[in-house]
Structure formats: C-alpha cells, structure tokens
C-alpha cells in the first residue's frame, strides 16, 4: 500500500465512518460477545506476504464493528464518556496524516505552540486566573502521577530522584476515599506506598472534612512523618463527589503543602460559570487535571494539566541529554520535560478544531442539556416502584439501586444484555449501585428518556 492507495482508502474509510455513525442507534451499545469471540476469527500466525487492502478492509468491516462497545453511541451512559466530536475526529485524521512526534519544540513547532495557546484558551474557558500555564498528557492517571512525583520531589528537596526513596523520610499524602483509583496507582508507582496515602474522612456530602485533614497532617507531623501533598476530588467517579476545594487548600497552605485537584470528568462543566461554585477556591491549587476527552468532545486521548508554576514539575521530570538539546534556543518550551513520556502526539489540534467548530456556547449548551436531562432521568427512575435513588445528580451523574444487591446486579445484567442503553455499577457506602451519567456528545433528550423506559420494562 502506498500513498496513492491511502488516498483511495481514506475516502472509503470516511464513507464507512459516516455510515457507521448514522446507524449507531441501531446497534447494541455494549458488545454482546463472550470472551474469545473476536480472537477466534483471526489467524494465529502473521501473514508472510502482503495482502490486498480490499481483503483487509472487508475483514475489518466483518469482524471489528460487532466486537466493539460503541462509546460514541448516543445511549452510552456507562463509566464517564470518551467523547469524540466530529470536528475532533477530523483533527485526528489530519494529525495522523502528518504523524508527528512533538517531544521538542523543534520536532514540530506547531505541536508545541498550538498546545500553549490551547492551554490558555482552556484556562480562560474554565474561569481560571491568569498565571496558570500547563500541558497536555495522555491520561488523568499519568497527569496525577506527574503531580505526585513532583510533590514527592518537593518534599525531599529534589533528592529522591537522585538518591532513591530509601534515603528519604516517610512521606504522607492525603485524599478522600472518593478520589479515583488513579491516585492510589500513582502513589504506588511513585514508591510512596499505599499505606502512606491517608484517606481523610468525608462529611454527609462525601466531601473531605477540612478539619479531619488538618488533624491527620498534624498527627503525622507529631509522629515524625513528612506530609508531602494533598489530592482533592472535584467530581469523583463513583457519585460525583466534590471536596470543599477552598477550605481544604487553606488547610494545606497552613502546612505549606502543595495541592493537586482531580477534575478529570467535572472540569469540562466549568466552562459553564454557574457550576464553578462546585470547585470554589480552585485558583489556590498548584496542579489541576481535567480530561477534555471525557465531556468536552475532544477525542481520546487528551488530559489537560494546569500548573500554577511548572518549575518543580520540569525539575522533577525534565532530562536533557545532548541528543535532545536544541542549540541556541533557550526561550523555547520542550513539553517532554513536563510529562512522563518523551514522545508526544499532536493532541492540541483536536482541541483547536473542537473549540472553534462548536464555540464555547455550543459546548456549554450540550453540558447544560446533559445536566438537565440527567435530573429528569433521575426523577423518572425515582417514580418507578422498587427503584431507590442512592445518590442525587451531581452535574449529570447519579446512582440508583433495587432493594437487594442480587436484584440490582440482575437488573444491570438485563439492561446491558438488552443493548438499548449501557450502564455500569459502583460501590457507594458499601452498597452495590447502578451509575447513570449523561454526557455523550450526540445524545438527545429522547435518548436519555430511554433510561427510565428500559429500566421500567426490565424491572421484572
Ligand atoms: N479521575 C477521575 C475522576 C476519573 O473518573 C478517571 C477515569 O474515569 C480518572 C481520573 C482516570 O482517567 P484516565 O483514564 O484519563 O487516566
């Protein structure tokens, strides 16, 4: 296959994509397959000779779509969305065509400079003050890892990267149980150890209690530990909990501790000024992560980190061997020094396309609709005999359950086997509950109304 063939097949792929998207509503949202069903259809050995693209494409069309869970299905209400607006898909096609690796400014100045401008556009869109800068990572997980590594280095006067953690005092980090497991993973990967991530008590709203944070830090100091940082939750994965960001940051400040805020999902909603009260005090954070790839319509993967001051993170993650030097250009930013991986994709392009194609007003309208429709869906479900709402909507996320876990699990299995909608579960206060999040880019009110319709039908 050469570039002339690519031209032909790109057009075929575009036609296929258009047909796929126009018929998505007819497909079951979750792949109705048993494990191994797809792998069995592929030969066990790779081909020795090249095959015609006609055959490869035919196999793709025959095997792959039926093996997919359709994340762009308008009735995908599971997990959090991984939205891909048509404009961001187009940007990805163009980024793929150039296939650049933007590790350094000079390896593609447009990759770095459009990223810098997009960070500033997003900062303004989310109502963050001037002074925050930032970068794009692949995921919230590696963003949080970067933030935790940085806090670890700050707590050890930048010694642990060099001498290892065995020479350091025992560090402590603080978060509530509502934070995503990516925080636990980062703590493990950073060599801090799970036992040193202290889960701070929450209040009736499942927000971290600032006075409990204060006591935990004071107790650790008294016991000879070294508090190193606080991770706050703005829109937790289970039920959308928000810590009281400003109050908790005030506690952290009292002890001179840096704060990272995980707003991976809910950050997108902050383009709507009326939701910003949920993260009041955010301007005091040192690091904030939010994923435009979740709710903003910017195709996976795209995790944005805002930094009050990038210096400690660059000091932690940046290495400049001679083969990565750019002679005579001290003023440039090389974003690989801000992140864990060296190589980086051109992710800013899809942000640029999405923000321009829909405008902030277009994106706000979608998010406001999702929140309003989630509230309606919650009320519709509450009206069904036997359904108990277990958490009220936080933005567009709520949960419900039936009387017993067995009944709830059986209902969830029936819902997802049915295929018209897709929901997933979580544990809330020790109870198995079904999560509902509304956020797919193309979903309509009718799609959301289907949730209560399907549940009512499948209750028995
Ligand atoms: N933080 C929160 C609140 C999340 O909901 C998720 C994933 O859903 C993550 C972090 C991890 O995101 P990523 O898949 O980008 O690592």
């Amino acid at each position: 296959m050469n570039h002339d063939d690519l031209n032909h097949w790109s057009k075929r792929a575009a036609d296929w994509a258009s047909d796929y998207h126009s018929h998505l509503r007819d497909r079951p949202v979750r792949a109705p397959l048993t494990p191994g069903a797809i792998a069995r259809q592929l030969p066990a050995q790779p081909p020795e000779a090249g095959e015609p693209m006609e055959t490869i494409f035919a196999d793709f069309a025959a095997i792959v779509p039926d093996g997919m869970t359709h994340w762009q299905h308008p009735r995908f209400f599971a997990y959090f969305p991984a939205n891909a607006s048509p404009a961001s898909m187009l940007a990805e096609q163009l980024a793929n065509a150039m296939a650049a690796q933007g590790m350094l400014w000079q390896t593609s100045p447009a990759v770095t400079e459009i990223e810098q401008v997009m960070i500033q556009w997003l900062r303004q869109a989310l109502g963050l003050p001037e002074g925050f800068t930032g970068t794009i990572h692949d995921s919230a997980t590696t963003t949080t890892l970067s933030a935790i590594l940085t806090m670890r280095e700050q707590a050890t006067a930048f010694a642990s990267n060099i001498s290892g953690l065995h020479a350091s005092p025992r560090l402590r980090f603080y978060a509530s149980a509502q934070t995503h497991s990516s925080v636990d993973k980062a703590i493990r990967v950073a060599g801090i150890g799970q036992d040193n991530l202290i889960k701070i008590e929450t209040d009736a709203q499942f927000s971290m209690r600032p006075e409990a944070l204060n006591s935990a830090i004071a107790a650790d100091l008294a016991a000879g530990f070294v508090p190193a940082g606080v991770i706050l939750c703005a829109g937790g994965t289970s039920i959308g909990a928000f810590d009281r960001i400003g109050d908790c940051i005030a506690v952290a400040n009292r002890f001179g501790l840096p704060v990272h805020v995980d707003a991976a999902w809910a950050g997108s909603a902050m383009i709507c000024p009326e939701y910003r009260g949920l993260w009041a005090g955010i301007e005091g954070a040192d690091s904030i992560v939010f994923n435009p790839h979740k709710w903003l319509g910017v195709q996976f993967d795209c995790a944005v980190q805002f930094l009050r001051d990038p210096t400690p993170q660059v000091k932690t993650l940046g290495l400049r061997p001679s083969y990565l030097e750019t002679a005579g250009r001290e003023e440039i930013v090389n974003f690989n020094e801000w992140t864990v991986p060296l190589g980086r994709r051109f992710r800013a392009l899809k942000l640029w396309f999405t923000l321009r194609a829909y405008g902030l007003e277009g994106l706000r309208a979608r998010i406001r609709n999702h929140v309003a429709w989630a509230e309606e869906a919650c009320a519709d479900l509450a009206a069904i005999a036997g359904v108990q709402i277990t958490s009220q909507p936080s933005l567009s996320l709520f949960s419900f359950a039936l009387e017993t876990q067995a009944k709830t699990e059986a209902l969830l299995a029936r819902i997802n086997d049915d295929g018209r909608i897709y929901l997933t579960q979580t544990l809330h206060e020790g109870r198995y509950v079904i999560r509902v999040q509304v956020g797919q880019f193309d979903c309509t009110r009718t799609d959301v109304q289907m949730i209560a319709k399907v549940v009512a039908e499948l209750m028995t």
Side-chain angles (χ1 to χ4, degrees):
M1 178 155 174
N2 59 31
H3 283 280
D4 290 335
D5 299 329
L6 177 61
N7 183 18
H8 167 75
W9 284 102
S10 298
K11 289 171 185 154
R12 284 277 301 267
D15 289 342
W16 181 90
S18 170
D19 184 62
Y20 169 78
H21 283 282
S22 58
H23 291 103
L24 256 185
R25 276 193 179 80
D26 307 333
R27 290 181 176 274
V29 190
R30 191 188 66 174
L33 296 180
T34 49
I38 297 298
R40 269 196 298 279
Q41 298 179 64
L42 270 55
Q45 284 84 35
E48 288 296 336
E51 298 181 62
M53 187 46 66
E54 195 75 54
T55 317
I56 301 172
F57 201 92
D59 283 347
F60 161 77
I63 297 172
V64 177
D66 290 343
M68 298 300 284
T69 291
H70 302 287
W71 282 73
Q72 306 315 318
H73 195 301
R75 293 193 298 273
F76 182 103
F77 304 115
Y79 307 101
F80 282 135
N83 276 339
S85 68
S88 91
M89 289 182 172
L90 181 61
E92 281 288 68
Q93 281 180 30
L94 298 173
N96 283 343
M98 294 178 286
Q101 205 274 55
M103 61 186 175
L104 303 172
W105 175 85
Q106 71 163 333
T107 64
S108 278
V111 173
T112 299
E113 294 186 16
I114 295 178
E115 181 161 334
Q116 288 174 306
V117 177
M118 287 309 103
I119 293 291
Q120 289 309 317
W121 281 17
L122 288 171
R123 177 190 64 70
Q124 296 167 63
L126 269 57
L128 294 171
E130 272 182 42
F132 273 100
T133 175
T135 191
I136 306 178
H137 299 249
D138 56 352
S139 65
T141 301
T142 43
T143 311
T144 293
L145 174 62
S146 304
I148 286 176
L149 289 169
T150 303
M151 295 193 275
R152 182 193 79 183
E153 287 304 295
Q154 287 175 292
T156 58
F158 295 89
S160 51
N161 257 350
I162 305 302
S163 3
L165 274 178
H166 60 273
S168 306
R170 197 156 155 195
L171 304 181
R172 295 288 228 194
F173 285 83
Y174 309 87
S176 92
Q178 293 296 321
T179 47
H180 188 260
S181 59
S182 53
V183 175
D184 302 68
K185 186 183 272 192
I187 288 287
R188 293 172 181 212
V189 173
I192 306 298
Q194 183 79 55
D195 288 348
N196 297 309
L197 174 62
I198 308 304
K199 297 284 172 85
I200 304 294
E201 199 186 316
T202 51
D203 62 17
Q205 273 70 52
F206 303 96
S207 314
M208 182 187 283
R209 289 183 49 230
E211 56 287 5
L213 175 63
N214 193 87
S215 310
I217 299 172
D220 276 352
L221 280 169
F225 295 110
V226 173
V230 178
I231 300 104
L232 299 177
C233 171
T237 313
S238 256
I239 56 144
F242 281 81
D243 290 332
R244 280 151 50 195
I245 304 290
D247 294 342
C248 293
I249 288 178
V251 173
N253 285 348
R254 210 172 294 150
F255 294 97
L257 296 184
V259 175
H260 170 69
V261 178
D262 180 358
W265 162 65
S268 295
M270 302 310 167
I271 62 170
C272 305
E274 69 270 30
Y275 303 134
R276 290 182 194 154
L278 289 168
W279 73 354
I282 190 70
E283 61 284 352
D286 296 282
S287 163
I288 306 161
V289 60
F290 99 101
N291 282 356
H293 76 226
K294 283 191 161 58
W295 203 2
L296 210 58
V298 179
Q299 172 151 0
F300 187 83
D301 52 1
C302 184
V304 165
Q305 182 183 27
F306 293 108
L307 288 161
R308 175 203 289 285
D309 173 10
T311 317
Q313 189 155 310
V314 173
K315 205 167 161 191
T316 301
L317 301 178
L319 283 177
R320 204 179 285 184
S322 58
Y323 45 81
L324 294 178
E325 276 171 8
T326 307
R329 288 246 175 254
E330 280 319 304
E331 77 283 14
I332 54 166
V333 165
N334 292 317
F335 270 134
N336 80 81
E337 296 171 3
W338 299 42
T339 59
V340 173
L342 171 63
R344 48 198 349 266
R345 292 171 6 83
F346 191 179
R347 298 190 181 94
L349 195 67
K350 56 196 172 188
L351 270 166
W352 194 41
F353 273 48
T354 301
L355 292 171
R356 293 181 66 187
Y358 307 98
L360 289 176
E361 267 312 323
L363 298 170
R364 283 186 196 112
R366 280 184 164 78
I367 286 176
R368 286 176 177 139
N369 279 339
H370 297 159
V371 171
W373 297 338
E375 281 164 7
E376 285 178 6
C378 183
D380 291 348
L381 281 171
I384 300 172
V387 169
Q388 299 167 3
I389 301 301
T390 46
S391 62
Q392 291 299 322
S394 167
L395 295 170
S396 64
L397 170 67
F398 65 93
S399 65
F400 72 97
L402 304 186
E403 195 190 349
T404 64
Q405 172 157 348
K407 284 185 181 174
T408 311
E409 275 187 59
L411 174 65
L412 184 60
R414 282 198 297 279
I415 290 170
N416 291 332
D417 288 346
D418 172 85
R420 280 173 291 172
I421 63 172
Y422 182 23
L423 301 177
T424 46
Q425 77 292 332
T426 190
L427 263 195
H428 177 50
E429 294 194 285
R431 184 173 182 190
Y432 180 100
V433 302
I434 300 176
R435 288 170 80 259
V436 179
Q437 73 73 28
V438 178
Q440 206 284 324
F441 202 74
D442 296 319
C443 78
T444 63
R445 190 172 173 209
T446 311
D447 288 317
V448 181
Q449 286 168 339
M450 184 71 88
I451 300 169
K453 191 167 175 266
V454 168
V455 169
E457 244 179 76
L458 300 178
M459 277 292 283
T460 47

